[in-house]
């Protein structure tokens, strides 16, 4: 059939292009995703993940008229946290759901085209709910990861499996929940499982075959791989880890990364060191709680910046690093920004990792008093949880401290957005603290490897979540919106002067990007912990978001979880547009 169509094109003098039904996004299409408006091809709406759309058909003047176009139910009884961001291509929405499921949905009618459910073993060990954050698309394939640490490529038209690759041993605590990323024909992945003493990795596979090209461990002392052979050691053995603690050092890359076509670098965040009990692992514990800049061709680390050296609070460092051009003092700097779980908003030179600034974006930070000119935290020693080895006789716990933010972070996984119009970052923040203490712990394969206990508490009676607009040049908060429950969903901003985000109470809300005024809301029936997107189709602008309450807050939230336990779970894709005149 393909040959007949090509021959017909030749006879008619038409370009011998691949038929539309067989074509798929190319490398160039993915790199242009932030500028193209008729699709959403990448997690973050562009490789840099600014989550900004140049569309302005929908704006502050008419957004109040926004209504549902359709809702697609994920069905069944697997209604757990739905943290996905949809992908849109050629009239099809690809969306993942809890328990490692994925659907292809007609973007005009909401009808299902196909569904694929991964067959999960009984022994999976997800730390923070059975979530999945999204898929990737390239050529004729869509890709997504599973809770038993597999990477699967499906035919985008049929949903049939093309290949499936085991990434790691799920029985040791590994899993995979992030959206994969495509760079130069390679599919880039991280891993999850930091609470089980795994070793974080960033890996690249051939997007066509799934074969491993390179692997880069994120913990010092481990050896990388390149083209089937051992390559270089990550860092230097025992440079920042004592004894054998590096062997189960954590540093999971569980959120995935961003890519900058200008610097040609992958930016990947790394998670907490293991165990949480920091007294067992003196030193900075590289490269945990860091941002790594990685060469996509070889997997070599080009620079790193550690946001919480010797992390003792599970502050992690996986938060997305978003490239942008910083305009300050009459100069333009190729910069990147990161709102870290530790409560500080970081701006770095993205070409070399040079520290530019760190400013608080939450109201209370107890673990550090700030950062010095070299980018090192100025610790408050009294706020580190105590060493259980120094506890009174008969007591198995170290001294408990009250620390803010809590380990769920000033900002957790939920991605922020950057507006090219306002020059502001829109950060979904949370105001909470925790009582935290250390305990003795030994590593055991497949068992939790914490060595700590905790209780999370809200800081204020009237709100926990706060959406904040931050000027990266000064760290100044331009406006904020306070929400009763925690904010746990991603953010979208548009040239229509709009900012969208969801709430656990079920609302998708729109705000004026310059003033913070709420200009629209719609209740989806369950809490929103997904990331909204927008695209243009048939001359109209659409907005979509996944609804379904869950994630880490109900599981780990302590007193906070008790206060919001009434929120119903769910699982559905909502799509909105303006009604035709």
């Amino acid at each position: 059939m393909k040959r007949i169509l090509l021959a017909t094109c030749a006879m008619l003098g038409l370009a011998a292009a691949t038929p539309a039904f067989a074509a798929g996004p190319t490398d160039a299409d993915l790199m242009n995703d932030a500028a193209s408006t008729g699709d959403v091809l990448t997690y973050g709406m562009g490789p840099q993940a600014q989550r900004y759309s140049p569309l302005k058909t929908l704006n502050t003047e008419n957004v109040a008229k926004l209504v549902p176009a359709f809702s697609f139910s994920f069905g069944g009884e697997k209604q757990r946290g739905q943290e996905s961001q949809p992908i849109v291509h050629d009239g099809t929405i690809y969306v993942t759901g809890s328990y490692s499921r994925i659907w292809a949905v007609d973007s005009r009618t909401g009808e299902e085209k196909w569904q694929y459910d991964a067959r999960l073993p009984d022994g999976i060990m997800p730390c923070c709910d059975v979530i999945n954050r999204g898929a990737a698309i390239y050529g004729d394939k869509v890709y997504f990861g599973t809770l038993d640490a597999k990477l699967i490529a499906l035919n985008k038209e049929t949903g049939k499996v093309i290949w499936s690759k085991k990434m790691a041993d799920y029985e040791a605590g590994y899993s995979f929940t992030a959206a994969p990323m495509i760079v130069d024909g390679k599919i880039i992945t991280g891993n999850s499982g930091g609470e089980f003493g795994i070793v974080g990795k960033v890996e690249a596979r051939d997007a066509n075959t799934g074969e491993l090209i390179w692997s880069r461990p994120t913990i010092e002392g481990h050896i990388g791989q390149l083209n089937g052979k051992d390559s270089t050691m990550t860092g230097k053995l025992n440079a920042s880890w004592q004894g054998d603690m590096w062997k189960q050092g954590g540093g999971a890359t569980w959120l995935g990364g961003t890519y900058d076509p200008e610097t040609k670098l992958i930016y990947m965040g790394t998670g907490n060191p293991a165990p949480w009990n920091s007294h067992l692992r003196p030193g900075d514990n590289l490269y945990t709680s860091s941002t790594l800049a990685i060469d996509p061709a070889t997997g070599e680390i080009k620079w790193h910046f550690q946001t919480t050296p010797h992390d003792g609070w599970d502050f992690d460092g996986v938060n997305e690093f978003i490239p942008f051009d910083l305009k300050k003092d009459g100069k333009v700097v190729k910069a990147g920004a990161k709102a870290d779980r530790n409560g500080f908003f970081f701006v770095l030179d993205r070409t070399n990792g040079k520290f530019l600034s760190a400013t608080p974006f939450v109201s209370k930070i107890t673990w550090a008093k700030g950062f010095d000119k070299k980018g090192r935290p100025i610790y408050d020693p009294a706020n580190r949880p105590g060493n259980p080895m120094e506890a009174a006789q008969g007591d198995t716990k170290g001294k408990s401290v009250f620390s803010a933010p809590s380990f769920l972070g000033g900002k957790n996984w939920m991605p922020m957005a950057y507006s090219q119009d306002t020059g502001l970052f829109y950060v979904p923040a949370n105001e909470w603290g925790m009582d935290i203490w250390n305990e003795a712990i030994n590593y055991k394969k497949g068992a939790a490897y914490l060595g700590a206990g905790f209780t999370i508490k809200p800081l204020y009676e009237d709100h926990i979540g706060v959406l904040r607009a931050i000027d990266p040049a000064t760290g100044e908060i331009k406006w904020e919106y306070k929400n009763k429950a925690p904010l746990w969903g991603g953010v979208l901003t548009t040239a229509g002067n709009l900012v969208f985000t969801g709430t656990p109470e079920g609302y998708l809300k729109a705000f004026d990007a310059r003033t913070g005024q709420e200009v629209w809301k719609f209740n989806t029936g369950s809490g929103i912990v997904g990331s909204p997107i927008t695209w243009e189709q048939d001359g109209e602008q659409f907005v979509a978001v996944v609804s379904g309450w869950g994630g880490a807050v109900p599981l780990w939230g302590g007193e906070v979880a008790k206060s919001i336990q009434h929120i119903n779970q769910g699982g559905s894709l909502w799509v909105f547009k303006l009604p035709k005149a």
Side-chain angles (χ1 to χ4, degrees):
M1 183 65 181
K2 179 178 178 180
R3 290 180 179 177
I4 295 173
L5 286 173
L6 291 174
T8 304
C9 288
M11 288 188 294
L12 294 175
L14 301 176
T18 303
F21 64 81
T26 64
D27 287 296
D29 292 332
L30 299 183
M31 293 303 103
N32 191 49
D33 190 34
S36 64
T37 57
D39 49 34
V40 177
L41 303 178
T42 58
Y43 186 79
M45 299 177 60
Q48 295 177 319
Q50 293 182 350
R51 298 184 178 273
Y52 167 84
S53 171
L55 287 171
K56 49 187 174 184
T57 302
L58 186 65
N59 53 60
T60 51
E61 300 300 317
N62 60 19
V63 69
K65 299 177 181 178
L66 196 64
V67 295
F70 64 81
S71 176
F72 173 81
S73 174
F74 294 166
E77 299 177 356
K78 298 178 178 179
Q79 310 288 42
R80 294 284 289 273
Q82 311 296 348
E83 294 185 359
S84 181
Q85 179 221 287
I87 295 291
V88 183
H89 172 67
D90 194 24
T92 302
I93 301 173
Y94 301 94
V95 60
T96 62
S98 54
Y99 289 99
S100 305
R101 297 174 292 165
I102 183 170
W103 294 263
V105 180
D106 189 301
S107 63
R108 291 179 173 86
T109 66
E111 295 179 5
E112 179 181 305
K113 293 186 174 183
W114 53 258
Q115 175 179 345
Y116 175 81
D117 294 13
R119 292 185 178 181
L120 298 174
D122 292 334
I124 57 171
M125 290 180 279
C127 103
C128 307
D129 208 359
V130 288
I131 60 95
N132 188 286
R133 297 192 175 95
I137 186 170
Y138 182 66
D140 62 349
K141 303 175 185 67
V142 290
Y143 312 82
F144 84 119
T146 66
L147 290 165
D148 59 343
K150 291 179 181 176
L151 182 64
I152 299 175
L154 305 172
N155 181 284
K156 72 180 182 66
E157 301 295 335
T158 66
K160 300 298 183 183
V161 175
I162 297 175
W163 51 255
S164 176
K165 300 294 181 181
K166 178 180 177 180
M167 302 170 66
D169 180 9
Y170 74 88
E171 293 183 326
Y174 286 92
S175 59
F176 186 65
T177 55
M181 178 172 61
I182 307 290
V183 177
D184 295 335
K186 304 178 187 71
I187 185 162
I188 311 297
T189 59
N191 58 20
S192 304
E195 275 60 56
F196 297 96
I198 58 88
V199 173
K201 289 184 179 181
V202 185
E203 296 186 324
R205 286 175 168 78
D206 184 297
N208 187 44
T209 66
E211 294 305 310
L212 185 68
I213 297 173
W214 55 257
S215 178
R216 173 52 52 194
T218 61
I219 300 297
E220 281 189 335
H222 294 271
I223 305 294
Q225 287 188 311
L226 177 62
N227 297 324
K229 299 179 180 179
D230 287 348
S231 57
T232 58
M233 178 180 288
T234 299
K236 184 180 178 181
L237 182 62
N238 291 136
S240 63
W241 293 82
Q242 288 189 5
D244 290 339
M245 297 300 293
W246 59 276
K247 292 183 177 180
Q248 289 86 34
T253 47
W254 56 266
L255 191 54
T258 60
Y259 175 71
D260 180 27
E262 294 184 12
T263 61
K264 292 181 170 48
L265 291 172
I266 294 167
Y267 302 110
M268 188 75 70
T270 64
N272 57 282
W276 287 17
N277 182 346
S278 62
H279 300 281
L280 295 175
R281 44 173 174 78
D284 281 356
N285 310 132
L286 291 172
Y287 291 94
T288 64
S289 302
S290 300
T291 293
L292 307 181
I294 298 175
D295 183 340
T298 64
E300 293 296 325
I301 297 172
K302 294 300 183 180
W303 60 255
H304 77 277
F305 183 85
Q306 193 171 33
T307 48
T308 313
H310 197 214
D311 186 354
W313 304 266
D314 186 38
F315 283 147
D316 238 282
V318 297
N319 302 62
E320 68 283 358
F321 181 80
I322 298 181
F324 75 108
D325 290 337
L326 173 67
K327 299 175 183 178
K328 187 175 183 180
D329 301 328
K331 299 179 181 179
V332 178
V333 179
K334 291 185 184 301
K338 176 180 182 177
D340 201 87
R341 267 168 65 173
N342 67 21
F344 287 94
F345 185 88
F346 293 87
V347 180
L348 309 177
D349 184 321
R350 71 178 187 263
T351 67
N352 55 25
K354 179 183 177 183
F355 173 77
L356 298 178
S357 65
T359 52
F361 68 91
V362 291
S363 67
K364 188 178 182 64
I365 297 176
T366 60
W367 70 277
K369 301 172 183 178
F371 279 72
D372 64 23
K373 293 181 179 180
K374 294 182 179 180
R376 295 282 299 184
I378 305 168
Y379 291 108
D380 181 351
N383 197 251
R384 184 176 292 274
N387 188 347
M389 297 297 291
E390 298 174 356
Q393 187 173 2
D395 193 350
T396 59
K397 299 179 180 179
K399 177 186 175 183
S400 177
V401 298
F402 181 79
S403 180
S406 78
F407 75 87
L408 289 178
K411 186 181 88 67
N412 201 276
W413 76 273
M414 52 279 191
M416 62 184 181
Y418 171 73
S419 171
Q420 298 176 14
D421 301 315
T422 66
L424 302 177
F425 279 89
Y426 301 96
V427 180
N430 286 304
E431 298 283 356
W432 42 23
M434 62 179 172
D435 292 323
I436 182 170
W437 58 91
N438 287 152
E439 302 168 348
I441 188 72
N442 291 304
Y443 174 76
K444 181 181 179 181
K445 179 182 175 180
Y449 189 45
L450 301 185
F454 49 82
T455 302
I456 293 180
K457 301 176 180 179
L459 295 181
Y460 307 104
E461 291 185 2
D462 63 335
H463 73 279
I464 298 174
V466 189
L467 179 65
R468 291 189 165 107
I470 298 175
D471 184 343
T474 63
E476 180 184 358
I477 296 171
K478 294 295 186 179
W479 59 258
E480 63 182 23
Y481 158 77
K482 296 178 180 178
N483 195 71
K484 176 68 174 178
L487 293 180
W488 209 253
V491 183
L492 161 70
T493 185
T494 77
N497 193 37
L498 293 170
V499 174
F500 289 90
T501 198
T503 74
E505 292 90 343
Y507 287 101
L508 179 63
K509 294 192 173 189
F511 303 87
D512 185 304
R514 298 186 183 278
T515 68
Q517 178 186 357
E518 184 180 309
V519 290
W520 175 82
K521 67 179 180 180
F522 179 88
N523 198 293
T524 61
S526 182
I528 294 177
V529 293
S531 297
I533 59 168
T534 188
W535 75 98
E536 191 174 41
Q537 179 176 279
D538 303 329
E540 298 178 285
Q541 184 177 350
F542 289 75
V543 175
V545 73
V546 174
S547 171
W549 174 238
V553 177
L555 299 175
W556 295 77
E559 294 181 15
V560 172
K562 293 177 183 178
S563 68
I564 52 178
Q565 61 185 358
H566 65 282
I567 297 175
N568 290 323
Q569 291 183 321
S572 56
L573 168 70
W574 285 85
V575 177
F576 303 86
K577 69 170 188 172
L578 292 173
K580 289 186 177 181

